[in-house]
Amino acid sequence: TVKPATARGGAEAWFQLANLHFREKAYAESAAAFEKLFQLYPADERIAVAALPRAWALCNAKMPADALRRAEGILAASNGADAVSASQGQTGVEEWLYLKANCLRQLLKPGEAADTYAKLQELFPDGRFARAAAFENAMALFRAGRFPETLRQAKAIPPDASNEKDLYWMMAESFMALHNEEGAIQYYKLLLDKCASSDLAPDAGYRLGHLLQKRAEYAAAADVFGGVAAGYATNEIAPQALFAAASCRNRAGKHEEAARDLGTLLQKYPASPLAEEARYQKAMEEIVLLRDEQAVSSLREFLGKLREEQLITR
């Protein structure tokens, strides 16, 4: 390597390289370059301004323990002057608190993260990170199992395209944990209606159907299960939803529709673990419908598959 002409020039080179890596999202490389700056030029003028981006580089490089140590050191050095910093509009403490909370979340300490986000919200209610901290606080509270607090926090956050699926899911699951089925139904349904294309929608629909089934609202539950199966046909939950829909239609006395759903399950998902039971239940529905020929055919197929499995396991 070429030795820089001056210490100032060397420090500036490492500083600019670290920032360049950071902008390119090469966070491990950025953290390593910042480390070189601090090791080789600890007295340089860039050291003070590099402290925060260095900690962010560590955090983003999945080294949250190292980043947390630096954040706690800076915050401790403020001598408890957080309130003073907030009143003076200084952003340093705010961002260090936000970084600390993010590190705690990465370190799987959601309770401590939630408390840090709450402190940030208290000190900087209109600050740069207020909106993000509010949402992340709700997520941390949820992961910490603090469900009443989760609901209070989440309800205060205006839903939009960036957060609504997670907000509705957190609230539905929190209501479930608190044994409040009405609240859970409301938010599972909101998620299913407003975020139908999200990755959480199939599970939300299935859980909504299960709650309606539990309340003996069989026709409504069957429609929800059927909608999940039709709307998310490639999802692994689809055959389960079809089977649940058929079961609910049976309980509602809709045997024609139950037989149809079971037939669809067998046609679309022949390798499903539910296929064997579906064949048997389809035969039972056909018996109720007085379709003796079809019932005999279904039972023969069921028994044939059963014999095949018994031979395989011998």
Side-chain angles (χ1 to χ4, degrees):
T1 58
V2 178
K3 185 177 181 180
T6 65
R8 173 84 276 283
E12 189 65 24
W14 281 113
F15 180 77
Q16 294 300 337
L17 179 62
N19 281 326
L20 178 61
H21 283 314
F22 196 98
R23 288 196 300 272
E24 293 176 341
K25 299 185 177 4
Y27 298 117
E29 291 83 352
S30 177
F34 277 123
E35 187 65 25
K36 281 291 187 181
L37 169 64
F38 277 76
Q39 285 178 357
L40 298 175
Y41 306 102
D44 189 79
E45 63 191 54
R46 287 295 197 182
I47 291 297
V49 295
L52 187 55
R54 175 201 197 189
W56 273 119
L58 288 165
C59 180
N60 293 341
K62 308 303 179 188
M63 292 186 277
D66 292 340
L68 178 63
R69 186 170 64 253
R70 286 163 176 77
E72 288 182 329
I74 293 291
L75 291 168
S78 70
N79 297 318
D82 294 344
V84 174
S85 297
S87 66
Q88 294 175 352
Q90 296 174 10
T91 59
V93 170
E94 179 187 9
E95 189 160 359
W96 281 108
L97 278 171
Y98 185 64
L99 172 64
K100 177 184 176 180
N102 277 269
C103 292
L104 289 166
R105 186 160 48 84
Q106 278 195 43
L107 289 166
L108 306 182
K109 296 181 177 181
E112 293 179 47
D115 293 340
T116 306
Y117 285 125
K119 184 176 183 180
L120 175 62
Q121 289 180 272
E122 178 187 352
L123 292 174
F124 303 94
D126 301 312
R128 174 183 167 197
F129 300 99
R131 188 170 182 274
F135 176 74
E136 287 162 21
N137 189 10
M139 293 287 286
L141 289 165
F142 177 68
R143 287 171 182 149
R146 291 158 59 175
F147 301 115
E149 294 172 79
T150 300
L151 289 168
R152 284 195 295 273
Q153 181 72 19
K155 285 180 178 180
I157 300 171
D160 60 35
S162 70
N163 64 24
E164 60 183 350
K165 72 161 185 171
D166 294 306
L167 284 176
Y168 297 148
W169 180 262
M170 280 191 292
M171 287 192 274
E173 292 285 286
S174 295
F175 275 121
M176 279 295 292
L178 296 170
H179 308 290
N180 184 328
E181 292 183 358
E182 289 81 6
I185 286 171
Q186 173 177 303
Y187 285 102
Y188 283 136
K189 192 172 187 307
L190 268 173
L191 198 161
L192 194 60
D193 290 345
K194 294 195 172 186
C195 311
S197 61
S198 77
D199 58 331
L200 294 174
D203 279 337
Y206 192 85
R207 295 183 190 207
L208 173 60
H210 177 72
L211 282 172
L212 294 170
Q213 182 181 21
K214 183 181 175 184
R215 293 157 69 96
E217 298 177 28
Y218 297 117
D223 288 342
V224 171
F225 283 130
V228 170
Y232 309 99
T234 60
N235 191 284
E236 62 182 10
I237 210 168
Q240 298 175 51
L242 270 172
F243 192 88
S247 177
C248 289
R249 296 193 203 284
N250 173 278
R251 297 295 298 271
K254 297 183 177 182
H255 301 289
E256 179 82 39
E257 295 176 20
R260 179 203 64 202
D261 288 344
L262 293 165
T264 301
L265 192 159
L266 291 168
Q267 179 186 5
K268 287 188 171 183
Y269 312 101
S272 168
L274 293 168
E276 183 178 329
E277 181 64 20
R279 285 188 188 92
Y280 178 78
Q281 293 300 334
K282 181 172 177 285
M284 296 303 101
E285 297 295 348
E286 288 163 344
I287 289 171
V288 172
L289 293 165
L290 304 178
R291 296 175 181 171
D292 295 347
E293 187 175 339
Q294 293 179 22
V296 168
S297 176
S298 294
L299 284 171
R300 282 177 175 168
E301 187 178 358
F302 169 73
L303 291 170
K305 294 287 184 182
L306 193 61
R307 280 194 296 270
E308 287 177 16
E309 291 179 6
Q310 289 171 342
L311 285 170
I312 290 170
T313 56
R314 282 179 186 174

